[in-house]
Amino acid sequence: MTQPEGPIVYLAAPPFPYFTECGRSVYVPGDAHPSRRDLGMFDLILVERGMLFIGEEDRQWEVGAGNTLLLLPDRYHYSVRPCEKETSFAWIHFRALGEWGVAEEEGPAFADRDRHAGQFGTLPYTIRLPQFGTLPGAPGGSGEGERLLRLEERSLSGAVWERQRLFEELLRSLDLRRRDPSGSPAESVAERTERYIRAHYAEPLTGAILSNELHFHYNYLTRCMKRVNGLTPMEYLEECRLEQARLLLLRTEASVASVGEKVGFETAPYFSRRFAERFGISPLRFRQRHTR
């Protein structure tokens, strides 16, 4: 069987996906993974030894020791053929409250930012998980997956917080944005750009200023930001200004015009218009709604 290139699963957070249950299965030669449809939750498989032959819809995988496979909650998955040798794997079930999707290759695929912000009160961070991947570190006997299995033996009330923490650490280790601790060049440049913008959002900022301060051509900064955040530097700048404006409206008595000026907008009418387009309410109405 030719191992296909797997898709990338995108999960919008926060809220972060939450752990429901986990376990370990051991198959002898001739055993096969059960076929299931519309499981209703994600099924993350971590193979420790041996090999599973699993399909999902029109894709098929050979999942060997050290490999991971993420089965999707609304698909049909099935055994392609029985195991040929003893196979041990850990499985973790989890659910996602935020938007999720699948793409054939890694790229700037994101949740609907405005809808996510309206529903959860914050802009989305996009977790990128390979549907078929490699488990960082040893394939079994250590790491977050093994600790999750040990915690599963404890009572729910005694382990619930620790299990969620370990589960999120496991997702973080699989997240394609964080797999390389040093960061890809694009992510490194994007993070430098974010830091600079957040430190100087109230000042007049242009593409030329960013290019001069960060020592990269503005087009390159834009490519890196789009890939990592889905926003251009100027779009990210406006998001920062609007975030800060919302905080100032809640925490100070400064006039709407003064708030707009403090966060870097040149005119009060433009600030009010952009605020209303972003949050669906004028700055004045926003303040009145939340400060009664």
Side-chain angles (χ1 to χ4, degrees), residues 7-11 41-46 54 56 61 63 67-73 75 77 92-94 100-102 127-133 167 171 174:
I8 307 299
V9 180
Y10 293 86
L11 300 158
M41 64 186 75
F42 290 91
D43 185 3
L44 176 61
I45 292 173
L46 318 173
I54 297 181
E56 184 179 77
W61 292 276
V63 193
N67 289 147
T68 66
L69 182 65
L70 181 57
L71 298 173
L72 305 179
R75 309 292 167 87
H77 53 264
I92 298 169
H93 291 168
F94 68 91
W100 65 271
V102 184
I127 303 169
R128 299 188 180 111
L129 302 178
Q131 185 166 21
F132 175 86
F167 167 67
L171 288 191
L174 294 172

Side-chain angles (χ1 to χ4, degrees), residues 123-160:
L123 292 172
Y125 171 87
T126 302
I127 303 169
R128 299 188 180 111
L129 302 178
Q131 185 166 21
F132 175 86
T134 302
L135 184 65
S142 64
E144 293 84 2
E146 182 66 22
R147 291 197 290 274
L148 274 170
L149 290 167
R150 291 201 298 268
L151 280 174
E152 188 72 355
E153 299 172 0
R154 290 171 49 183
S155 66
L156 179 63
S157 59
V160 61

